């Protein structure tokens, strides 16, 4: 009897253990499935397989089902157009499935960085112009060199010089520019007229301050500019410093600062004057909107700010948010005895293909379609600013797809020939330091001299760390 | 014969132990893979200049030295984290105890109130509620318009370094539900006869609260203090979503700094060192709280379980 009891116990224990193991196995499967569904590869590959078979039946050619991942950031219009292009492409090549991974730019860099480090990045990736040098210099060898694949992707539509200046690193074309864009200053035409501002002429930085003062004197409820810390850095401070010193802020080759303490103080004094004279709205009142100033109700209502600094690739998000007003592009400010232009036309971002992708060929096929196909050009329009290739530009112009504001701001930034301000200075860490410094000035927390003395050693620490890499 | 019997008994014991191991295997595997491995790895990385690419280069204590000597942001973040903890832990405990006392009344429909007050805790740590908070406290948000009605403000809650941290603390304090439930359970466990005896002796409500209620619920107070302190010291979500560390770094808590160092600047080695310092701080604070508990925590069973 006792024996039977023990046996029963044993059997029970075994059954429980078996159940648990099975449970684990099930869990295991579950995780695997989730993972695959996350990547969507298994399911999509199956789908692809069935459609591939159909095609094979139709065309007699045999293709293996391929799934690609394409990651980008941007607003709704960009997402819609890009998704449409993906659909068109998939119709043409039914055995290729492209999974879109898109969202806002918030956290994009962090996501991409950890994906690149972990080897889980998408096949086709939109990369920020400022972030590319960091990825290239990290020694990760993440992206394919498009020049090695010229037989698979037609680069003849790009102007050679433009391609060399945008996305080419030591002779390797790791990124393809997505458009022609540059810094922009847009303004509400009716409000400017009402306040008696003439913004149609070339202007100096001092003129900008005068315009700001004039706004406050005429109407206390209005400001000339809405401004966040990232634009204050990228589109005001850094161009100002480049015009002052004739060089980009950090030398990419020597990892040194290219300015003296006095020059930095001069730059910071100008930033201080923008806030002391209330040219820009107090930074505390727009802090909550981060870099998305177009979500500020005061911007949307169009009754507070005359204009904003942005890029020609993003100006449409501002004009779309403030529907009631008509906007124009103004000339970008310049020092009277500027040593360099500070501003230039470049590209808003790059398209890159991961070197670890198992389907580089198909990824290139997609980019070839993305850049060179007539339909794609029509669909994409100017969601990434004016397109970079001659054909796409022509198509956009013929079909009236380039909005006036984009055309105008691109035309304006093409008049400037400053140095490409990318490299060390656009590393995220450097950007944070610079923005912290400018925010201290904007809040009146530190005087220009104090800020310069505080931040020069911090810049030096950052540069020393880069030298030792 | 006796020896043989002993051996077979030992075999039985070890077989039973093996069975036990089998039962906890899922947990062990999870623990080793998801906790122990990252834990050991981060200690190793903290002695390297690992940037996420290539083989980590050993730099020994350079990261730790830099943290304490050249990185002024570390001290600022440490200060912000401490202030955050010192505001949210007592705030949350006092509020949850107060609400728990109210909820401990025997009135009709009390269950509905208990549920209502617990709801904010269901959102704990969620991005959506953080965004909602941000919208409420914006310059033209609902809080300022309410204050405007009574002639106050507008206050730049998120744009002013004096108020931004408080605003985030308020969100944490608002989510007091889980502490409240624990307090409520503890209050229900206080023997009614103690109160009756005290009333007979002429003690008032206040006296009863300090001499009976508080001593009786000290174990739960200790539990809440420790739990809340640990989670406050590790808080990341609200500072990241609502202010992203600003304005002027006034909400740049340690966890947020750690995140930026690792995932934005690719300084994984440095971030690992920072995480170890955070771990040590939490360890010390928890140990001190436990140490102090013998002086103020009352266990009915004398602390034996």
């Amino acid at each position: 009897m006792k024996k039977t009891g023990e046996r029963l116990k044993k059997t029970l224990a075994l059954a429980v253990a078996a159940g648990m193991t099975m449970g684990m196995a099930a869990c295991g499967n579950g995780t695997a499935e989730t993972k695959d569904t996350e990547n969507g590869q298994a399911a999509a590959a199956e789908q692809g397989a069935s459609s591939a078979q159909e095609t094979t039946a139709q065309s007699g050619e045999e293709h293996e089902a391929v799934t690609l991942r394409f990651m980008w950031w941007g607003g709704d219009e960009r997402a819609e157009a890009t998704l449409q292009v993906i659909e068109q492409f998939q119709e043409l090549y039914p055995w290729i499935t492209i999974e879109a991974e898109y969202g806002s730019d918030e956290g994009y860099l962090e996501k991409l960085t950890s994906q690149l480090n972990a080897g889980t990045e998408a096949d086709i990736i939109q990369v920020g112009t400022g972030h590319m040098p960091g990825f290239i210099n990290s020694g990760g060898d993440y992206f394919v060199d498009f020049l090695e694949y010229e037989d698979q992707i037609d680069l003849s539509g790009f102007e050679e010089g433009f391609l060399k200046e945008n996305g080419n690193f030591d002779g390797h074309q790791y990124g393809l520019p997505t458009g022609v864009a540059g810094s922009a200053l847009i303004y509400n035409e009716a409000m400017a007229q009402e306040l008696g501002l003439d913004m149609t002429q070339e202007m100096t930085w001092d003129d900008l301050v005068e315009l700001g003062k004039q706004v406050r004197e005429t109407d206390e409820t209005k400001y000339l500019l809405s401004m966040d810390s990232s634009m204050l850095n990228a589109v005001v401070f850094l161009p100002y410093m480049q015009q002052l010193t004739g060089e980009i802020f950090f030398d990419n080759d020597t990892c040194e600062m290219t300015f003296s303490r006095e020059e930095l103080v001069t730059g910071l004094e100008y930033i201080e004057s923008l806030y002391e004279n209330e040219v820009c709205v107090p930074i505390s009142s727009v802090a909550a909107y981060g870099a998305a100033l177009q979500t500020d109700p005061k911007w949307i209502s169009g009754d507070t700010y005359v204009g904003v600094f942005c890029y020609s690739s993003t100006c449409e998000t501002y004009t779309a948010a403030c529907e009631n007003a008509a906007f124009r592009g103004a000339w970008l400010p310049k020092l009277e005895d500027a040593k360099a232009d500070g501003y230039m036309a470049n590209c808003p971002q790059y398209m890159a293909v991961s070197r670890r992708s198992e389907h580089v060929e198909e990824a290139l096929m997609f980019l070839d379609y993305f850049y060179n196909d007539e339909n794609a050009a029509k669909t994409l329009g100017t969601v990434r600013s004016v397109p970079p290739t001659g054909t796409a530009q022509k198509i956009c112009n013929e079909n009236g797809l380039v909005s006036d504001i984009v055309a105008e701001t691109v035309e304006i930034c093409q008049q400037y020939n400053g140095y490409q301000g990318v490299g060390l200075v656009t590393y995220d860490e450097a950007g944070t330091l610079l923005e912290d410094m400018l925010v201290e000035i904007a809040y009146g927390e530190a005087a220009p001299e104090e800020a310069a003395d505080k931040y020069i050693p911090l810049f030096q620490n950052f540069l020393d760390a880069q030298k030792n890499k | 014969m006796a020896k043989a019997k002993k051996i077979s008994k030992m075999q039985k014991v070890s077989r039973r132990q093996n069975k036990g191991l089998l039962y906890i295997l899922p947990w062990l595997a999870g623990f080793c893979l998801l906790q122990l491995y990252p834990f050991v790895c981060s200690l190793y990385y903290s002695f390297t200049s690992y940037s996420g690419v290539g083989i980590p280069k050993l730099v020994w204590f350079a990261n730790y030295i830099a943290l304490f000597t050249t990185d002024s942001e570390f001290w600022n973040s440490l200060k912000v984290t401490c202030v955050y903890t010192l505001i949210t832990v007592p705030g949350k405990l006092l509020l949850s105890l107060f609400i728990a006392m109210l909820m401990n009344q025997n009135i009709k429909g009390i269950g509905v109130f208990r549920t209502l007050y617990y709801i904010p805790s269901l959102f704990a740590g969620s991005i959506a509620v953080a965004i909602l908070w941000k919208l409420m406290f914006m310059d033209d948000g609902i809080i300022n318009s309410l204050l405007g009605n009574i002639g106050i403000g507008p206050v730049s809650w998120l744009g002013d370094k004096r108020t931004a941290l408080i605003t985030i603390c308020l969100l944490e304090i608002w989510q007091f539900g889980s502490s409240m439930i624990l307090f409520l359970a503890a209050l229900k466990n206080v023997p009614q006869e103690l109160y009756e005896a005290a009333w007979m002796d002429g003690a008032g409500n206040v006296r009863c609260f300090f001499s009976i209620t508080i001593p009786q619920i000290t174990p739960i107070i200790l539990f809440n203090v420790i739990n809340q302190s640990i989670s406050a010291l590790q808080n990341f979500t609200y500072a990241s979503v609502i202010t992203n560390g600003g304005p002027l770094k006034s909400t740049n808590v340690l966890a947020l700094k750690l995140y930026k160092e690792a995932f934005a600047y690719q300084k994984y080695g440095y971030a690992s060192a920072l995480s170890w310092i955070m771990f040590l701080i939490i360890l010390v604070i928890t140990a001190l709280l436990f140490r102090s508990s013998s002086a103020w925590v009352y266990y009915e069973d004398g602390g034996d379980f």
Side-chain angles (χ1 to χ4, degrees):
Chain A
M1 188 63 211
K2 199 179 168 197
K3 254 190 175 168
T4 336
E6 248 174 39
R7 203 176 285 162
L8 195 74
K9 248 190 208 168
K10 232 177 214 175
T11 327
L12 257 175
L14 264 174
V16 171
M20 277 178 74
T21 331
M22 275 168 70
M24 269 173 69
C27 284
N29 277 342
T31 351
E33 257 172 37
T34 339
K35 215 173 180 184
D36 273 338
T37 330
E38 257 171 34
N39 297 339
Q41 284 177 347
E46 267 168 36
Q47 268 179 13
S50 59
S51 40
Q53 277 158 7
E54 280 164 27
T55 346
T56 319
Q58 283 166 11
S59 64
E61 267 180 70
E62 215 167 290
H63 292 287
E64 219 178 286
V66 168
T67 305
L68 297 170
R69 289 162 58 209
F70 175 18
M71 183 165 101
W72 76 88
W73 79 85
D76 292 344
E77 286 147 13
R78 185 182 289 174
E80 255 166 54
T82 313
L83 288 172
Q84 272 182 38
V85 168
I86 290 177
E87 238 167 68
Q88 295 164 6
F89 177 78
Q90 287 179 157
E91 267 168 35
L92 277 179
Y93 305 95
W95 68 93
I96 303 177
T97 310
I98 297 186
E99 288 174 354
E101 298 174 8
Y102 57 97
S104 83
D105 63 343
E106 226 178 281
Y108 186 88
L109 173 67
E110 286 87 336
K111 184 172 152 198
L112 177 57
T113 307
S114 37
Q115 284 181 333
L116 287 172
N117 287 335
T120 55
E121 72 275 14
D123 301 274
I124 307 159
I125 312 162
Q126 179 174 311
V127 185
T129 3
H131 301 139
M132 195 63 149
F135 290 134
I136 302 297
N137 295 339
S138 70
D141 197 15
Y142 299 121
F143 309 114
V144 302
D145 177 357
F146 288 105
L147 297 179
E148 287 173 18
Y149 294 92
E150 266 192 286
D151 49 335
Q152 290 178 42
I153 180 164
D154 179 13
L155 301 178
S156 62
F158 293 93
E159 212 179 287
E160 204 179 311
F162 187 69
L163 211 48
K164 263 193 185 148
E165 273 175 34
N166 293 285
N168 194 305
F169 297 83
D170 291 328
H172 303 284
Q173 195 75 41
Y174 291 125
L176 289 181
T178 54
V180 186
S183 307
L185 170 56
I186 59 169
Y187 66 96
N188 180 332
E189 202 179 9
M191 198 193 286
Q193 253 174 15
E194 188 190 309
L195 294 165
L197 309 174
D198 183 10
M199 296 188 70
T200 56
Q201 308 295 316
E202 287 190 42
M203 65 171 113
T204 65
W205 291 102
D206 293 334
D207 293 338
L208 188 73
V209 174
E210 289 310 314
L211 286 170
K213 281 187 190 166
Q214 198 181 326
V215 172
R216 297 295 290 165
E217 279 159 16
T218 323
D219 186 343
E220 265 203 349
T221 64
K222 293 181 169 56
Y223 290 92
L224 180 66
L225 297 171
S226 177
M227 180 89 77
D228 76 295
S229 61
S230 67
M231 283 292 118
L232 185 63
N233 175 40
V235 186
V236 178
F237 179 70
L238 289 177
Y240 184 97
M241 289 302 287
Q242 192 184 111
Q243 293 174 6
L244 187 71
T245 62
E247 287 177 88
I248 60 172
F249 202 69
F250 295 139
D251 189 307
N252 290 324
D253 298 322
T254 60
C255 292
E256 297 287 351
M257 288 172 249
T258 58
F259 51 88
S260 65
R261 180 185 175 275
E262 284 64 41
E263 284 165 333
L264 180 60
V265 171
T266 311
L268 294 177
E269 274 169 354
Y270 182 72
I271 300 297
E272 191 183 36
S273 75
L274 287 178
Y275 286 91
E276 275 185 349
N277 295 304
E278 298 175 336
V279 179
C280 305
V281 63
I283 198 153
S284 64
S285 66
V286 283
Y289 307 105
L293 291 177
Q294 77 278 6
T295 58
D296 179 353
K298 290 199 192 91
W299 175 268
I300 295 169
S301 65
D303 55 11
T304 309
Y305 311 117
V306 180
V308 72
F309 274 103
C310 54
Y311 297 112
S312 41
S313 54
T314 56
C315 63
E316 275 182 307
T317 49
Y318 284 95
T319 54
C322 182
E323 278 175 330
N324 307 331
F327 285 87
R328 295 290 306 270
W331 288 87
L332 295 161
K334 216 168 156 182
L335 280 176
E336 258 165 32
D337 44 0
K339 290 184 185 157
D341 277 3
Y343 297 101
M344 77 301 298
N346 53 11
C347 69
Q349 62 273 125
Y350 302 123
M351 284 299 163
V353 171
S354 163
R355 197 176 273 282
R356 284 179 289 213
S357 165
E358 284 171 20
H359 306 292
V360 171
E361 195 187 320
E362 285 80 3
L364 292 169
M365 277 165 72
F366 174 71
L367 285 183
D368 193 50
Y369 181 83
F370 182 90
Y371 280 107
N372 297 320
D373 187 88
E374 206 172 298
N375 253 337
K378 261 188 212 164
T379 313
L380 287 168
T382 58
V383 293
R384 289 181 179 81
S385 193
V386 171
T389 61
T391 10
Q393 276 173 17
K394 208 176 138 202
I395 291 165
C396 282
N397 285 332
E398 279 171 4
N399 292 283
L401 295 173
V402 186
S403 71
D404 291 347
I405 191 75
V406 174
E408 191 172 28
T409 52
V410 168
E411 207 181 303
I412 289 173
C413 71
Q414 280 173 330
Q415 312 297 315
Y416 297 82
N417 283 309
Y419 304 116
Q420 294 275 4
V422 293
L424 290 171
V425 74
T426 51
Y427 278 26
D428 212 39
E429 196 177 353
T432 309
L433 280 176
L434 280 158
E435 283 179 39
D436 287 350
M437 173 176 74
L438 299 176
V439 167
E440 281 190 32
I441 299 286
Y443 268 97
E445 189 77 8
E449 280 93 0
E450 279 174 303
D453 290 337
K454 177 177 169 188
Y455 280 92
I456 286 175
L458 296 178
F459 292 146
Q460 195 60 56
N461 282 347
F462 162 73
L463 293 169
D464 289 345
Q466 304 311 314
K467 265 186 226 168
N468 296 331
K469 261 190 184 166
Chain B
M1 188 64 195
K3 211 177 175 185
K5 217 175 181 182
K6 208 175 176 188
I7 288 176
S8 88
K9 208 175 179 189
M10 272 176 67
Q11 273 178 342
K12 241 182 202 170
V13 171
S14 82
R15 219 183 274 159
R16 271 180 75 180
Q17 277 178 341
N18 286 345
K19 219 186 275 169
L21 272 179
L22 186 69
Y23 290 153
I24 59 165
L25 199 64
W27 181 84
L28 266 183
F31 172 76
C32 291
L33 202 71
L34 302 174
Q35 297 197 330
L36 192 65
Y37 170 71
F39 192 72
V40 174
C41 253
S42 74
L43 181 63
Y44 165 62
Y45 286 147
S46 74
F47 296 115
T48 68
S49 63
Y50 189 46
S51 65
V53 184
I55 302 156
K57 200 170 106 195
L58 265 184
V59 294
W60 296 110
F61 288 95
N63 287 330
Y64 291 93
I65 295 170
L67 257 181
F68 286 101
T69 53
T70 50
D71 191 349
S72 59
E73 279 313 316
F74 169 69
W75 292 108
N76 175 53
S77 291
L78 186 61
K79 195 185 98 190
V80 171
T81 310
C82 289
V83 173
Y84 180 83
T85 309
L86 288 175
I87 295 176
T88 56
V89 176
K92 209 172 184 175
L93 289 187
L94 289 177
L95 188 64
S96 57
L97 181 56
F98 176 68
I99 304 285
M101 305 262 304
L102 293 182
M103 295 293 145
N104 198 21
Q105 314 293 321
N106 281 325
I107 46 171
K108 218 176 165 189
I110 194 76
V112 177
F113 285 106
R114 278 181 205 150
T115 313
L116 282 179
Y117 276 89
Y118 192 71
I119 284 176
S121 294
L122 298 177
F123 306 131
S126 88
I127 301 282
V129 77
I131 292 175
L132 180 75
W133 208 255
K134 183 172 168 175
L135 290 174
M136 279 167 60
F137 281 90
M138 275 185 172
D139 281 12
D140 41 18
I142 187 163
I143 300 290
N144 268 346
S145 59
L146 286 177
L147 288 177
N149 287 339
I150 50 169
I152 304 175
V155 182
S156 182
W157 295 101
L158 302 171
D160 190 326
K161 69 170 186 171
R162 288 165 303 182
T163 50
L165 187 59
I166 302 272
T167 310
I168 290 176
C169 289
L170 285 178
L171 173 54
E172 181 74 46
I173 294 172
W174 178 59
Q175 297 178 332
F176 57 80
S178 56
S179 311
M180 180 196 76
I181 292 289
L182 289 167
F183 274 134
L184 191 57
L187 289 173
K188 293 226 173 274
N189 269 339
V190 180
Q192 199 56 34
E193 57 266 27
L194 291 181
Y195 292 111
E196 282 160 11
W199 288 327
M200 297 283 272
D201 290 341
N205 279 343
V206 176
R207 184 70 199 270
C208 279
F209 176 73
F210 285 105
S211 300
I212 299 174
T213 312
I214 292 284
Q216 285 285 323
I217 62 167
T218 44
I220 296 299
I221 298 183
L222 175 72
F223 178 82
N224 273 338
V225 167
I226 289 177
N227 254 4
Q228 299 303 340
S229 303
I230 293 176
S231 70
L233 289 166
Q234 292 178 328
N235 184 281
F236 166 81
T237 316
Y238 302 146
S240 168
V241 175
I242 300 177
T243 53
N244 197 19
L248 294 162
K249 305 258 166 190
S250 60
T251 57
N252 201 30
V253 290
L254 278 175
L256 187 56
K257 177 176 165 63
L258 192 159
Y259 169 78
K260 283 183 188 161
E261 296 286 354
F263 300 108
Y265 311 156
Q266 301 199 46
K267 289 156 80 177
Y268 292 92
Y270 194 68
S272 298
L274 182 57
S275 76
W276 270 83
I277 296 294
M278 259 177 87
F279 170 67
L280 291 177
I281 292 171
I282 293 173
L283 197 69
V284 169
I285 290 179
T286 314
L288 285 178
L289 282 171
F290 265 115
R291 254 286 175 72
S292 74
S293 69
S294 59
W296 60 274
V297 177
Y298 168 75
Y299 292 104
E300 213 157 346
D301 55 4
D304 304 323
F305 335 7

